[in-house]
Amino acid sequence: MTTLDQSYVTNGSWRPNLFEGKVVFVTGGAGSICKVQTEAMVLLGANAAIVGRNKEKTDAAAKELQALRKGAKVVSLPNVDVRDIKQMTAAANKAVEELGKIDFVIAGAAGNFLSDFTHLSSNAFNSVVNIDLIGSFNTAKACFEQLKKNKGAIIFVSATLHYYGVPFQIHVGAAKAGVDALSNALAAELGPLGIRSNCIAPGPIADTEGMKRLAPGYLDQVKKKVPLQRLGSKQDIADATVYLFSPAGGFVTGDILVVDGGSWHIGQGAGNASYPVSLRAVQDGKEMKL
């Protein structure tokens, strides 16, 4: 089921057919946030290729996305591991074969789970860094020639976890800090080629897998601690995506666009919702219930 529909075009802030003739390549395109980012692009005229590991989920998401707009074409690229550059290169080539080119890239594949440092294994830490950071690098690498040819743009989906200390999120915070650094360096290196690179850093976004995992039972507490007094919506992230890819964002590169209602300024991440009670519990050897 999609989150956005034609009302996003008719009642929204963006010009219809804004991305007509453009193609977006999305890793994590069947996920809760990246799918809605893709919905916005498709509704505004773009065709899309979505990459995922699960075939059933990726195929279903592509079918739903294609139904959003008459004449849209959305290619499903399942069974692809972003940690494998050969698989990513093959996926990018398939997207070009099916859709003709790649203008925009969303690097959104990510892994996450709650774990305190004392129970976080080296393999688990490595797994998240490989998916989030190495996967982001591989995505940019696989799409580079198309981005260069079409003077395109890439958005990395980051986070605010590394702006302050968030319990149980050491692995993700470290990975996303690397993603920010990657994007900033690419903006400097690839800018002369006409390629723009930016990050979107979502905060507490309602109805996402991340919030279900990171703040189980604490959503009301999280909302009250957000300066704007609400959780973000997936459309908030979609709108930020459209802005950065649109001509309105044409002089924006090397930026990290935080979409969190001001949360990080007061150090209120989802992982801090039950702090320090939950932290003391796991340090005492009690199992943390998710």
Side-chain angles (χ1 to χ4, degrees), residues 22-148:
K22 302 295 186 179
V23 174
V24 60
F25 180 92
V26 187
T27 64
S32 54
I33 285 181
C34 293
K35 185 183 177 188
V36 180
Q37 290 177 287
T38 312
E39 289 174 13
M41 297 297 291
V42 170
L43 283 166
L44 293 172
N47 290 326
I50 60 170
V51 174
R53 296 190 70 178
N54 183 290
K55 178 172 173 53
E56 182 179 357
K57 186 177 179 181
T58 306
D59 287 348
K63 185 176 181 180
E64 291 177 353
L65 287 162
Q66 185 162 291
L68 283 171
R69 176 175 55 81
K70 185 178 181 180
K73 186 171 183 180
V74 178
V75 175
S76 175
L77 298 169
N79 303 317
V80 176
D81 188 341
V82 296
R83 297 171 292 186
D84 188 322
I85 185 60
K86 291 182 180 179
Q87 291 185 33
M88 284 302 300
T89 300
N93 290 342
K94 181 67 173 177
V96 174
E97 179 184 330
E98 294 284 335
L99 300 174
K101 61 176 180 173
I102 295 172
D103 299 286
F104 305 119
V105 174
I106 298 173
N112 199 353
F113 50 86
L114 288 172
S115 180
D116 68 301
F117 174 73
T118 58
H119 295 89
L120 181 66
S121 70
S122 178
N123 284 340
F125 183 90
N126 186 64
S127 178
V128 170
V129 170
N130 276 339
I131 295 170
D132 289 35
L133 179 54
I134 305 303
S136 292
F137 175 87
N138 287 343
T139 301
K141 196 75 169 178
C143 297
F144 169 67
E145 291 299 333
Q146 281 294 305
L147 290 172
K148 178 182 176 182

Side-chain angles (χ1 to χ4, degrees), residues 33 85 94-95 105 111 117 124 137 143 170 179 184 198 209 214 221 223-224 252 261 278 285:
I33 285 181
I85 185 60
K94 181 67 173 177
V105 174
F117 174 73
F137 175 87
C143 297
I170 291 171
V179 169
N184 291 345
N198 293 289
E209 187 65 24
L214 302 182
Q221 284 181 252
K223 181 169 65 175
K224 290 176 182 177
V252 180
S278 55

